[in-house]
Amino acid sequence: MGARRIPVRNVNADPVVSDAMTDAPPVEVASTEIVIDKARISERNKKLEQARAELKEKFVGIDAVVDELIDAIRIWFLMPEVLSRPVIINLWGMTGVGKT
């Protein structure tokens, strides 16, 4: 399977900007096009699932935390180009519990 292009609109910008005071015509904001490579996403998803299995094997008893962490970083790891803001993950816990 090859890469597929989909149009993506910048959600932080207004699609139409006009100045009502001067009767200026509206200005169209250009859309952004992102290339989605299904093969790359599939490969990265396999790596993420392998990491999930390794973490669950190494850190016994915190499967729910491992699942939550993997789910939190999934979009950042699979398709970082679609993010408009950084992914922030806060890890907290006592010393020696495996945050690093």
Side-chain angles (χ1 to χ4, degrees), residues 40-41 44-45 48 69-83 85-87:
R40 185 180 131 232
I41 292 171
R44 286 184 163 207
N45 195 43
L48 202 55
L69 175 66
I70 295 295
D71 291 340
I73 66 169
R74 181 175 304 281
I75 190 67
W76 169 81
F77 188 69
L78 296 181
M79 296 176 31
E81 58 275 357
V82 301
L83 296 174
R85 295 186 176 138
V87 174

Side-chain angles (χ1 to χ4, degrees), residues 87-100:
V87 174
I88 300 171
I89 299 170
N90 185 22
L91 301 176
W92 60 273
M94 295 173 42
T95 303
V97 296
K99 296 181 298 290
T100 306

Side-chain angles (χ1 to χ4, degrees), residues 2-83:
R4 194 174 113 200
R5 293 182 180 275
I6 61 168
V8 176
R9 189 176 141 256
N10 183 355
V11 296
N12 296 326
D14 293 329
V16 177
V17 179
S18 67
D19 187 354
M21 299 298 287
T22 62
D23 293 327
V27 177
E28 291 289 329
V29 176
S31 66
T32 306
E33 198 171 90
I34 295 175
V35 177
I36 295 181
D37 186 355
K38 289 183 180 181
R40 185 180 131 232
I41 292 171
S42 178
E43 179 184 322
R44 286 184 163 207
N45 195 43
K46 286 178 187 175
K47 287 181 182 179
L48 202 55
E49 292 305 319
Q50 289 172 348
R52 180 193 307 261
E54 288 179 29
L55 288 170
K56 285 183 176 183
E57 185 178 312
K58 184 169 182 149
F59 300 103
V60 178
I62 59 169
D63 290 356
V65 176
V66 170
D67 289 336
E68 193 174 338
L69 175 66
I70 295 295
D71 291 340
I73 66 169
R74 181 175 304 281
I75 190 67
W76 169 81
F77 188 69
L78 296 181
M79 296 176 31
E81 58 275 357
V82 301
L83 296 174

